[in-house]
Amino acid sequence: MPARKTPPEAWVDAGLTALAEGGPDAIRIEALAASLGVSKGGFYGEFADRNALVERVLDTWEQAVVDDVISRIENTDDDPRTKLRHLFELARDRSGAVGRGLAVELAIRDWARRSPGVSERLRRVDDRRMAYLRTLFRQISIDENDAEARSFLVLSLFVGNPLITAEHDGRPRREVIDHALESLLSPSR
């Protein structure tokens, strides 16, 4: 009976878990093989080397946090404000993106500070996120500067929220964020 082949998606998923739990240095072939309960020999049947796996991990992350998110939102006939509210809900539940959404996002942002290639990838992801936000906010605001500012504030809230530990005078964080987002969706003044 031939040995059971471990599909590349299983290696990628294990790589995302390792990235979420230990950063990029945790994406090690032997450790991933152990987590999958297989020998590392099967890895080389799917990937040329660790760098090929890392690229596939980053591709999968980008697909999940940009392409899949936009596809889900654009797959409706909703108006721009409703699409943005839906986007905010998806962003709030980052676990849906690749199972470990927030931890992966933070690990990649930290990794980008030390790796020009990852930095370039992250810039592309953030540029794509901003471009999509612009398309929605331009439908709400006729002022280009206003649309750009609102897009930037939403992306900043998305990226910065997990890093801010401030209290909100007894208000729950979710309530404050909901109010901030509703303010951003209100008509231009």
Side-chain angles (χ1 to χ4, degrees), residues 10 21 47 54 64 79 100 106 113 128 158 167 175:
E21 293 174 357
F47 299 95
V54 166
D79 65 273
R100 303 133 300 256
L106 293 175
R113 296 177 325 137
R128 293 180 66 205
F158 171 75
E167 295 288 328
E175 181 182 303

Side-chain angles (χ1 to χ4, degrees), residues 89-184:
E89 283 305 312
L90 290 176
R92 191 181 306 243
D93 179 25
R94 294 181 205 213
S95 64
V98 286
R100 303 133 300 256
L102 177 57
V104 171
E105 177 92 18
L106 293 175
I108 289 173
R109 287 188 177 282
D110 183 52
W111 189 7
R113 296 177 325 137
R114 299 180 306 281
S115 168
V118 176
S119 178
E120 183 179 316
R121 166 91 58 155
L122 180 59
R123 181 173 295 110
R124 182 175 69 224
V125 166
D126 282 349
D127 284 345
R128 293 180 66 205
R129 286 169 165 167
M130 277 293 292
Y132 184 62
L133 288 167
R134 278 185 204 105
T135 65
L136 295 175
F137 277 110
R138 284 178 178 156
Q139 296 174 58
I140 293 172
S141 176
I142 59 171
D143 182 328
E144 287 288 319
N145 290 328
D146 181 62
E148 184 70 15
R150 289 177 192 227
S151 299
F152 180 70
L153 288 169
V154 167
L155 185 59
S156 297
L157 184 58
F158 171 75
V159 170
N161 178 47
L163 304 174
I164 298 171
T165 60
E167 295 288 328
H168 302 287
D169 288 335
R171 293 176 194 86
R173 171 68 60 103
R174 184 177 182 103
E175 181 182 303
V176 173
I177 291 172
D178 286 344
H179 185 75
L181 296 173
E182 284 304 317
S183 294
L184 289 167

Side-chain angles (χ1 to χ4, degrees), residues 76-93:
T76 70
D77 293 327
D78 293 336
D79 65 273
R81 281 186 175 82
T82 303
K83 286 180 178 183
L84 282 159
R85 284 186 184 96
H86 187 61
L87 179 63
F88 301 154
E89 283 305 312
L90 290 176
R92 191 181 306 243
D93 179 25

Side-chain angles (χ1 to χ4, degrees), residues 44-76:
Y44 293 102
E46 300 298 336
F47 299 95
D49 55 21
R50 178 185 180 273
N51 288 336
L53 172 63
V54 166
E55 281 302 308
R56 185 81 177 273
V57 164
L58 292 171
D59 289 345
T60 299
W61 170 74
E62 183 174 355
Q63 172 78 34
V65 300
V66 180
D67 299 316
D68 294 351
V69 169
I70 291 172
S71 178
R72 280 181 69 178
I73 292 168
E74 288 302 312
N75 201 19
T76 70

Side-chain angles (χ1 to χ4, degrees), residues 11 14-15 18 25-40:
W11 290 100
D25 293 336
I27 304 174
R28 295 187 335 269
I29 298 165
E30 282 187 28
L32 297 180
S35 76
L36 292 168
V38 299
S39 71
K40 68 178 186 175

